[in-house]
Each structure stands twice: as C-alpha cells, then as structure tokens.
C-alpha cells in the first residue's frame, strides 16, 4: 500500500507541475515577463507537449492563469485545513483574484447560451440592458461581461467587503468604471423591483438553505421575460472528477447540485423555460437558464 500511495502521489504531482508550467508559459508569453532563456525554452516545449502546438492564447490567457492559481492555492489550503467547510471570511488576495480571473471564462458559456436563445441575446445586446452579477467577488466576471457586450450596464453585488474593495480597484484599473458598479448587498435582500434583464447566480457559493430566498429575490429583480443564468462547477466526465468537483463546491460553501435536482428547484421558484444549456465550452462550469414569466 505504501508503494501504491507514493506512486499515485508522484503521478498526480506531475499533473500539478504540468498545470503550473502551462500557466507560467502563458504568463511569460502574454505578459512579456523576463525569463531565463533555458526556462523559457523548456516551458515552451512543455506547452507544445500539452497542447500540440504553440501560441494562440488570445483572451483565454487570464482565465487559464486564474484557474491554475486558484486550483494550486485551494489545493494547498486543503492540505493545511483538510476538514474545513467553505467560508469566505478569510482575506487571501491572490486566491480571491485568481478565482475572479477564472470566472471570466463564464462569458464563453453565456455567449453559447445567447447563441441558442435569441431572446437572451437580444436582451444582452440591447442599448441600456442591465446585468446583475451576484457574488461578484473581485469583479472580473462583471468586467468581462461589460467588455463582451458593449451596450450592457453591469451591477455586481457581494457581502464580502474585502473582495468588493479589490473589485473597485480592478474596475478602475481596467477603465470601465462608467459601465460597471459594485456594492455590498445580500442577494436575498435585493430591492431592485424588475430592474434587470439578465442575472447571474453562482450556485457553488450559495448555501442550500438560502437558495429558495435567493431565487425568489432574483425573480423579483428581473424584468418580465428576463433571464436567470445559474452556474455550477463541473470537471471531466468521470467519477474522480465528480468527487473532486463536489469537494470544491462544499468547501466553497455551496451544495453540489445535479441537473435533475437544480432544474426542478428553479422551476419551483416560478421560472419558465428552465433547462441546462448543452456544454460546448471548455470552462469548468455548467449553465442553467430560466425566464421570469
């Protein structure tokens, strides 16, 4: 057993090294960071080994680096505090920023859904459209949505002030303050009566016992016909990935929803046209939609 344990640890350690090397390569190539030529060449070779070809990272660089940082830091925290259940009362700036950067990849899922649902697309692209980012954290999804949809006005809410302070700095640094605002507010206490066209709800960060109140509040905050976008974590289609995803979700404070459980829950809150959007994007997230009648 001890040999099997060490062998498995060595194999998994190689995967962790590969993820870190890929993120390092992407940072060097997209951020023009200085690097020893030998290290740079080896990282490039590793990237080719992993991807099959070099370059072409485009707008995917920041979410990938965010994913690597978030996974590595969460893994280290899991080892140090193996029995902890999720709580966002700790100020870990690198981790908060990394999770925020990773959330930018949600835009790919939203664009896919908008391509399948013409009314959702028209609402996101209409002049003066309003989008609510619940659990905005450090604001990176709000920033990404504003960039992806130039007519969109974005409001981000969160209950964790340290994250909101980082979000304000990020929004200012990205020079998009005119279209994105953030404020401290609990989703269950939304008071924007029919004020938004589309609302994002991050299910992994919502304890199961507050989800009914959150869905009711979101329904009241949507304009008639407005869309709810609810997201959950996902991974590869195997049992180990499913178990790891559930662990990550619980440690983030949420409930590991399955489609057969979440779709009826959203429908029971009064939403129509509830469905899971077929996943064709690479971001580790599932997306569910529903409309306010």
């Amino acid at each position: 057993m001890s040999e099997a344990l060490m062998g498995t640890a060595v194999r998994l350690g190689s995967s962790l090294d590969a993820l870190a090397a890929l993120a390092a390569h992407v940072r060097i190539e997209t951020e023009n960071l200085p690097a020893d030529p030998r290290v740079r060449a080896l990282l490039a070779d590793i990237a080719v080994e992993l991807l099959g070809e070099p370059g072409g990272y485009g707008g995917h660089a920041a979410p990938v680096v965010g994913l690597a940082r978030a996974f590595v830091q969460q893994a280290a925290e899991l080892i140090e505090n193996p029995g902890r259940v999720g709580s966002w009362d700790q100020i870990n700036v690198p981790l908060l920023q990394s999770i925020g950067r990773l959330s930018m990849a949600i835009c790919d899922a939203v664009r896919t859904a908008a391509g399948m649902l013409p009314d959702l697309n028209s609402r996101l692209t209409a002049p003066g459209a309003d989008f609510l980012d619940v659990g905005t954290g450090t604001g990176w999804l709000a920033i990404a949505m504003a960039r992806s949809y130039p007519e969109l006005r974005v409001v981000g809410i969160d209950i964790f002030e340290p994250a909101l302070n980082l979000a304000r700095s990020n929004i200012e640094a990205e020079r998009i303050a005119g279209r994105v605002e953030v404020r401290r507010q609990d989703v269950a206490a939304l008071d924007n009566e029919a004020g938004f066209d589309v609302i994002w709800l991050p299910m992994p960060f919502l304890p199961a016992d507050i989800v009914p109140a959150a869905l009711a509040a979101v329904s009241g905050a949507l304009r008639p016909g407005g869309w709810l976008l609810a997201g959950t974590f996902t991974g590869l289609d195997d049992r180990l990935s499913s178990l790891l995803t559930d662990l990550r979700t619980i440690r983030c404070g949420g409930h590991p929803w399955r489609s057969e459980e979440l779709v009826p829950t959203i429908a029971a809150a009064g939403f129509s046209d509830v469905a899971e959007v077929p996943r064709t994007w690479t971001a580790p997230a599932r997306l569910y939609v529903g409309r306010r009648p």
Side-chain angles (χ1 to χ4, degrees):
M1 178 60 73
S2 60
E3 290 185 0
L5 179 62
M6 179 57 74
T8 299
V10 169
R11 175 173 54 83
L12 295 175
S14 179
S15 296
L16 184 61
D17 281 348
L19 174 61
L22 180 62
H25 168 72
V26 170
R27 286 200 67 210
I28 287 173
E29 297 303 320
T30 61
E31 300 177 33
N32 297 316
L33 299 177
D36 184 291
R38 296 166 298 176
V39 172
R40 185 175 196 139
L42 281 170
L43 290 175
D45 286 345
I46 291 169
V48 170
E49 189 70 22
L50 292 169
L51 302 173
E53 58 184 24
Y57 308 122
H60 294 284
V64 167
V65 173
L67 181 150
R69 282 175 163 159
F71 276 36
V72 169
Q73 291 186 56
Q74 286 179 314
E77 200 276 336
L78 174 59
I79 295 170
E80 294 303 318
N81 300 287
R84 180 187 64 79
V85 173
S87 172
W88 291 101
D89 57 359
Q90 300 178 25
I91 304 174
N92 183 332
V93 172
L95 179 57
L96 290 173
Q97 291 281 35
S98 297
I99 292 173
R101 289 280 192 177
L102 172 57
S103 74
M104 297 174 78
I106 296 298
C107 279
D108 290 339
V110 174
R111 282 191 291 267
T112 297
M116 297 174 57
L117 302 166
D119 183 73
L120 173 60
N121 185 68
S122 66
R123 286 177 181 270
L124 287 167
T125 57
D130 293 287
F131 179 90
L132 178 64
D133 176 21
V134 174
T136 193
T138 52
W140 287 110
L141 175 57
I143 292 168
M145 288 297 299
R147 284 178 171 169
S148 296
Y149 296 94
E151 301 294 335
L152 201 62
R153 296 181 302 200
V154 182
V155 174
I157 63 171
D158 209 297
I159 60 173
F160 192 37
E161 192 64 36
L164 288 172
N165 288 334
L166 292 170
R168 295 181 184 103
S169 298
N170 292 335
I171 292 166
E172 186 67 28
E174 295 296 314
R175 301 184 179 183
I176 202 166
R179 292 179 47 224
V180 180
E181 73 164 286
V182 297
R183 59 175 179 251
R184 185 171 185 175
Q185 187 171 13
D186 190 324
V187 61
L190 279 173
D191 55 5
N192 296 79
E193 183 65 29
F196 295 96
D197 297 283
V198 181
I199 296 179
W200 162 255
L201 200 60
M203 303 305 295
F205 302 99
L206 298 177
D209 59 351
I210 75 164
V211 166
L215 288 171
V218 164
S219 179
L222 281 168
R223 295 181 175 122
W227 288 90
L228 162 70
L229 307 178
T232 64
F233 291 156
T234 192
L236 301 177
D237 294 327
D238 60 73
R239 176 164 169 73
L240 177 59
S241 293
S242 178
L243 292 170
L244 291 170
T245 298
D246 288 352
L247 177 62
R248 185 174 298 112
T249 299
I250 290 172
R251 286 177 62 82
C252 284
H255 173 72
W257 296 95
R258 299 292 186 265
S259 181
E260 60 271 18
E261 181 184 15
L262 184 54
V263 168
T265 297
I266 295 174
F271 290 88
S272 63
D273 303 321
V274 181
E276 179 179 357
V277 179
R279 181 173 172 242
T280 59
W281 53 88
T282 55
R286 294 184 181 275
L287 183 64
Y288 299 82
V289 298
R291 295 185 72 187
R292 174 182 174 178

